Amino acid sequence: MGVQGTLEYLSDVISNAKKGKKRKQINTINLKVSRIDCEGCAMKIKNALSGVKGVKSVDVDMKQQKVTVTGFVDQKKVLKAAKATKKKVELWPYVPYNMVAHPYKVGAYDKKAPPNFVRKVEDSMTPLEEQYTTMFSDENPQACAIM
């Protein structure tokens, strides 16, 4: 953090102290934007998202069709600005393969996902299934004594 960054930080702290407002948290929002075919498409998206108040940086990954927005911004405002480019936009739906309990569950496996990523799917085990799973678990000290 150089002199410029330090001065900017101090300026923000002083201006927020005068107004009596709480300082917003910096957010990182990942979006999946379909049909980023060329540098022109990437620049169009980058310019549209850079215009949102509070955005510090916009990174476009054409290979993964991923846009990362960092700054003091709201997720809804970023989505609205991205949709104004007439592209299909959604929040980044993928998580690393090893972060999902059941990666081959219906809806989790996606052929369009980047390597080693699967679609994030909620685990919908019924209470009875949950009970049986924990009953025979090695991590449960009160597990079945037969095992």
Side-chain angles (χ1 to χ4, degrees), residues 33-104:
V33 181
S34 299
R35 300 185 322 252
I36 303 177
D37 301 325
C38 62
E39 289 294 325
C41 295
M43 287 304 296
K44 181 179 178 182
I45 293 167
K46 195 169 192 172
N47 289 338
L49 294 176
S50 296
V52 177
K53 184 178 177 184
V55 171
K56 295 292 182 187
S57 69
V58 178
D59 297 319
V60 179
D61 185 357
M62 290 175 47
K63 185 176 181 181
Q64 290 187 349
Q65 305 284 305
K66 181 178 181 180
V67 177
T68 304
V69 180
T70 306
F72 303 101
V73 291
D74 184 35
Q75 185 174 342
K76 292 177 184 175
K77 290 181 182 178
V78 172
L79 275 172
K80 184 176 180 181
K83 286 181 180 179
T85 62
K86 306 284 193 241
K87 302 264 185 204
K88 183 180 175 191
V89 180
E90 63 179 314
L91 290 176
W92 187 252
Y94 304 118
V95 295
Y97 179 82
N98 57 359
M99 298 295 290
V100 179
H102 305 289
Y104 292 109

Side-chain angles (χ1 to χ4, degrees), residues 96-147:
Y97 179 82
N98 57 359
M99 298 295 290
V100 179
H102 305 289
Y104 292 109
K105 187 176 179 183
V106 175
Y109 182 71
D110 188 0
K111 291 180 181 178
K112 296 178 184 177
N116 298 322
F117 282 87
V118 293
R119 191 172 283 273
K120 185 176 182 180
V121 180
E122 296 298 321
D123 194 16
S124 60
M125 288 194 347
T126 64
L128 187 61
E129 289 174 338
E130 182 80 30
Q131 180 183 2
Y132 287 139
T133 303
T134 57
M135 184 186 304
F136 294 105
S137 173
D138 291 336
E139 297 171 0
N140 186 0
Q142 278 75 32
C144 182
I146 298 171
M147 291 177 65

